[in-house]
């Protein structure tokens, strides 16, 4: 039985980790870290867990935690993981960091977009970007995994096969993404109040959102060149779900069948990526509560563009689910263990 | 492996049965009945099931079905199950009827509230009312189980211990219930359109809702006398969840501890009924997607009343989850098999 | 032109006052008070008012304000109005207090339910309870009006005719009320976050909500005796709207026509109270954005009870709209001036 | 007093026309046409109008109607207006068609995208495209106005100044639009049920939506060349509101101030178009219930693109509000009469 510790277990992503791990057959949570709720019963913070989790919340002591568990999940604000990790800890325990600290290889890019100094750049090179479908083999050997962002997981996997195969002109790629509100976290902030979000829709972080360089870096690896793109996130009045609508010029004329074959080449064997049937477009509700990414595309011969679409549950494949998928890979378990969650509808 | 057939598999309750059974270790769905979608792939009707369910929809032939499966779930409109069932079928297969056909023992009460003639009254006496926490032993021996309604499951379990122990004056009992919109079914009706339900709330079926006699009958058994009460359902702009707020005069002065002890007497050993801690009131979100009923109460010394509250997911404990719980009991399986669903939050 | 000042103009009720007054032909807002946003442009706080309101927010100085305007609206937390008002101010300006400070005649009841000391009990007797349909003539002569609460306006008007005519046994009255989330205010609190409220429903303040004594006092005046009742508020995932479902024993057998005639006796001439047609029940959406209260009832001969139902927009008839209706009465204007708002659907 | 007739008064756009006209000082509705509800009281179809509108629904007889009113609004499915209009009718009455019948000048484009034969192509040339801010002078003289679509109004006005001034490369323009569900109409269709839309988001009509050629034609006039673009609509779980996010390459390097000056050149004097302040992006909630279009933009120097954003209430500026604005222009009334609706928040 793998012993897991969670730092930041009372945020929405942390709560989802608890939900998933509580049904995982080979792992159990041993440390419910939460700086805000130390000594409070976890089930009083998340009452859905009443009579399921009996533990109380603990502080953030990563040193101590490293002696007690096999794997640490950090579901914390940017900067925290980087400020705590060190060689001694990494020698004892595997770390899956749900923050952005180790996602971006160029530390100056990280510091520029996040506006903070990186406290342990020495581990950036070692850290593996935990997008399981792309980096599976490296993840299996990793000590430190940078779990991808929610928008990025959805955005990258939606375009990945076509970027990889050179079918789209990367300089024309535009990603228009829409997210449910759990992505904004559980902080008590006015813009996230029910009455501010409900019956409303807006763009935010236009041309400035922090997931942009992460997407650019990963799609750059796929396409073999530097990528600069527009990524625009939007806030939608729903709890969960991200939908990415992506536009790019095709590099040559292609048929539906050719493009479908390319998607299938990469995803037909992937349990968690579902390439939908022709003219069926992803809907966030069809993946809710599950680890699936649903993707599809439409060729527009009038404009020479292809429209790619992808949907994920931002808390599952976009955060906690992928983190558990990474854990499974790192510990040699069945990749889907604990993740065979059937999407809930309605 | 138990073979299950579902008649009415494409309604919301039918869809939830498929979701739950697809993760059940001892049962599998062999027949996806749906008069409206015969020959259509099930995953085209519910695209969350894409790459999970590969079957096509079948018609309603209960005779044929009885030869192929061990248990039939009928998640169909009132009257259908009663019109199809017969002795030969019951000799071959167990039936769990999610409609109201066999819930009410007095056929004239059924015919009056439902406005239809009962086509097989000869089976009413035999049928067991499938409220697992109350009728567990009878369910284990049943051929035909009448799965309780969603409002009724919540309403009855919330008041049951106090009715049973004579702590409330049954003639003063009032049940004010609120339901998410999936309870209205998947029919394409104007009042259930998004723009009609969203940002709206209303009572309906006032003093006339069909779940009234079902609640009255069951609480009558519990209290040992005839019960006549007010039950008022309301439509709420959310997908899932029922909240029942129940009011009654106390028959004597009691302390919080006494009442708590009575609830615990009936529910402390029940996995799926959670008696909350003092002054924590049930919220539908804390049980969403799970088979839990959360209950609690508040004594009001000013009025001499007790306010009892309960919450369920109407599609799980209020329909498909309880149906599976009944199946587990009828087939001697672990009662919670397939039902250890952790509530999803947010 | 009446000059109005608003203390607390950046809460939801304050914002609604601004919306309504900005289209009022005989009044204009001269002072946008907001302790939290002093010197900030009002239209930056409420961007719907961009290019409509050009003013900046001011502090709470009631003394200074009294010299500049004809009427002050206090849309502030309990205690503030009572702590600021004095004889000199009241000699210069009329005050409409949207808080509870002057609603309850018995100061000890106020202090017990609100848990604060009343700072100017000498004005309680003079203050007029601003339920326009009930106290119209007194309001016309008032210097200080206590604007009723949102739940109370809805709860009282729904039962008022039957309480007044002795048709219901007041000792059996139970009010089960449901409210949209704007009633919880614009404070940045975790329980009011979108993801906590959306897809959720709960009771709160059970047997303890502060609107209880206010309803009891007013229905006591109507019925001519002391009233003690149960009032249970619930939080609903919608922005606006309150629905009250009220239960009471009838004191004698009555027909639909008799009860309808009683409602019509009180409300047929009332512009803002609509008695619906038989078997049509109030829905919050049908009054959204307007000053209407929709009411109706259903007699249940089985239980001898009557179920009364009412719906209001909590920010309009439940707060700002009624405040403006009070202002119109106090200044001799047409009672409906600025309030002929057609409900918005959908 | 202008007498107005509405054909299709019981759809959502028709209902909004009734709401707006019921508060219009110079016009009154004389004919509530609704083929589905003939002889039914209008207030039974839209109960918000109880005690406000007393009329019953009439049929679609445009001939008869033309003799009784000054202006006819057709808020009907595509094809109906074109099939009913003729020279005699147009000689008696002005027509504002909310359908697409007369929006597109090239009849073959209309027939191709809408899949129906145009029944009165002889009036296409005469019809004026009723985008008030662009075609004001022509509208004043028109007999037949083609009221723009909801998506198109928002999409066009958002990009118009930059298209007109040659600041964006029209071949790179991509419009990603998101709409509330009232845009789908009041038909009882499964995909528009509450439980299907709520907590969900999807693209639809990808590379095939009928508003595409309308946007292309109008932006073609603005830019002076043929425009072919991608337009992708999305369905959002809210009642009202459209948000358009538009991407294009800048034709030259520009500063924020230059672009702002161009927007101001076209919109500073326009009452209903609000150019927001720097870095404030349109939100649908800030225009809800009003005739405003809120627009803004962000320059992205990294990609050389500009992101333009616009928000409207699809039923007001996107349908009924603009129709009334057109009526005001056609009859020489104050353009904003009946349209000074303050956005409702929350």
């Amino acid at each position: 039985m793998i012993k897991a510790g969670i730092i930041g277990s009372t945020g929405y992503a942390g709560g989802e980790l608890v939900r998933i791990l509580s049904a995982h057959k080979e792992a159990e949570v041993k440390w419910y870290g939460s700086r805000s709720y130390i000594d409070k019963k976890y089930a009083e913070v998340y009452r859905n867990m009443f009579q399921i989790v009996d533990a109380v919340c603990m502080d953030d002591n990563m040193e101590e935690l490293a002696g007690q568990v096999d794997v640490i999940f950090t579901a914390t604000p940017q900067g925290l993981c980087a400020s705590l990790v060190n060689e001694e800890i990494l020698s004892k325990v595997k770390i899956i960091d749900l923050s952005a600290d180790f996602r971006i290889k160029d530390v100056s890019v990280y510091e520029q977009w996040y506006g903070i100094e990186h406290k342990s750049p020495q581990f950036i090179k070692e850290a593996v970007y935990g997008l399981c479908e792309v980096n599976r083999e490296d993840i299996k050997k990793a000590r430190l995994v940078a779990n991808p962002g929610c928008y990025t997981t959805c955005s990258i996997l939606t375009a990945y096969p076509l970027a990889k195969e050179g079918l789209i002109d990367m300089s024309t790629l535009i990603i228009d993404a829409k997210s449910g509100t759990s992505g904004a976290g559980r902080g008590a902030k006015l813009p996230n109040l029910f009455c501010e979000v409900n019956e409303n829709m807006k763009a935010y972080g236009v041309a400035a959102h922090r997931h942009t360089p992460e997407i650019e870096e990963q799609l750059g690896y796929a396409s073999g060149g530097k990528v600069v793109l527009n990524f625009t996130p939007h806030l939608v009045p729903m709890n969960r779900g991200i939908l990415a609508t992506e536009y790019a010029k095709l590099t040559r004329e292609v048929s539906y069948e050719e493009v479908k074959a390319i998607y299938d080449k990469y995803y037909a064997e992937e349990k968690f990526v579902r390439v939908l049937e022709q003219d069926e477009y992803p809907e966030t509700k069809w993946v809710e509560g599950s680890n699936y990414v649903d993707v599809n595309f439409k060729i527009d011969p009038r404009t020479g563009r292809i429209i790619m679409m992808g949907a994920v549950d931002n808390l599952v494949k976009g955060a906690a689910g992928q983190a558990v998928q990474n854990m499974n890979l790192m510990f040699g378990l069945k990749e889907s263990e604990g993740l065979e969650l059937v999407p809930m509808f309605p």
Side-chain angles (χ1 to χ4, degrees), chain A residues 71 90 197 241 283 295 316:
Chain A
V71 60
L90 277 176
V197 172
E283 306 189 16
V295 298
V316 189

Side-chain angles (χ1 to χ4, degrees), chain A residues 155-157 159-160 163-164 170 173 175 214-225 227 229 246:
Chain A
S155 299
I156 295 166
L157 290 176
Y160 181 79
K164 187 84 178 172
M170 298 304 287
L173 183 59
I175 301 174
E214 188 180 333
I215 300 169
E216 290 177 345
E217 179 177 331
Q218 295 300 323
L219 288 179
Y221 297 145
S223 65
V227 171
L229 51 75
E246 311 193 18

Side-chain angles (χ1 to χ4, degrees), chain A residues 85-152:
Chain A
V85 73
N86 59 42
E87 184 54 39
E88 196 197 329
I89 290 171
L90 277 176
S91 71
K92 292 189 199 162
V93 70
K94 290 176 192 290
I95 293 181
I96 299 170
D97 178 24
L98 279 77
S99 86
D101 287 0
F102 297 98
R103 293 179 192 158
I104 293 170
K105 290 299 173 199
D106 183 336
V107 69
S108 68
V109 171
Y110 171 90
E111 295 186 339
Q112 175 193 335
W113 286 78
Y114 286 88
I116 51 176
E117 185 195 351
H118 200 295
K119 292 294 176 47
S120 51
Q122 69 273 24
F123 297 116
I124 294 179
K125 182 145 184 275
E126 171 183 354
V128 175
Y129 188 73
L131 191 57
C132 309
E133 286 73 14
V134 172
N135 295 329
R136 182 170 284 123
E137 295 313 313
D138 289 340
I139 293 163
K140 289 179 182 173
K141 296 170 290 194
R143 297 194 301 176
L144 173 57
V145 160
N147 206 60
C150 51
Y151 279 124
T152 48

Side-chain angles (χ1 to χ4, degrees), chain A residues 216-281:
Chain A
E216 290 177 345
E217 179 177 331
Q218 295 300 323
L219 288 179
Y221 297 145
S223 65
K226 184 173 166 55
V227 171
V228 181
L229 51 75
N230 276 106
F231 166 72
T232 312
H234 297 77
L235 190 68
V236 184
M238 55 188 196
N239 286 348
R240 288 170 180 247
I242 285 177
L243 183 72
T245 313
E246 311 193 18
Y247 303 86
K249 283 276 183 189
L250 288 160
T251 51
R252 57 180 173 89
E253 259 191 41
V254 284
S255 67
Y256 167 78
E257 289 70 21
E258 281 176 272
V259 179
K260 179 66 160 60
I262 289 174
Y263 271 99
D264 283 344
K265 171 177 169 189
Y266 289 88
Y267 295 144
E269 301 303 312
E270 289 294 345
K271 180 178 180 62
F272 295 122
V273 187
R274 304 191 293 194
V275 183
L276 301 183
E277 295 184 5
Q278 189 165 13
D279 292 331
E280 296 201 338
Y281 304 130

Side-chain angles (χ1 to χ4, degrees), chain A residues 13-31:
Chain A
E16 192 72 355
L17 266 172
V18 172
R19 178 175 85 95
I20 293 172
L21 290 173
S22 69
H24 194 289
K25 278 184 230 118
E26 315 262 4
E28 59 186 331
V29 180
K30 285 295 193 186
W31 182 292

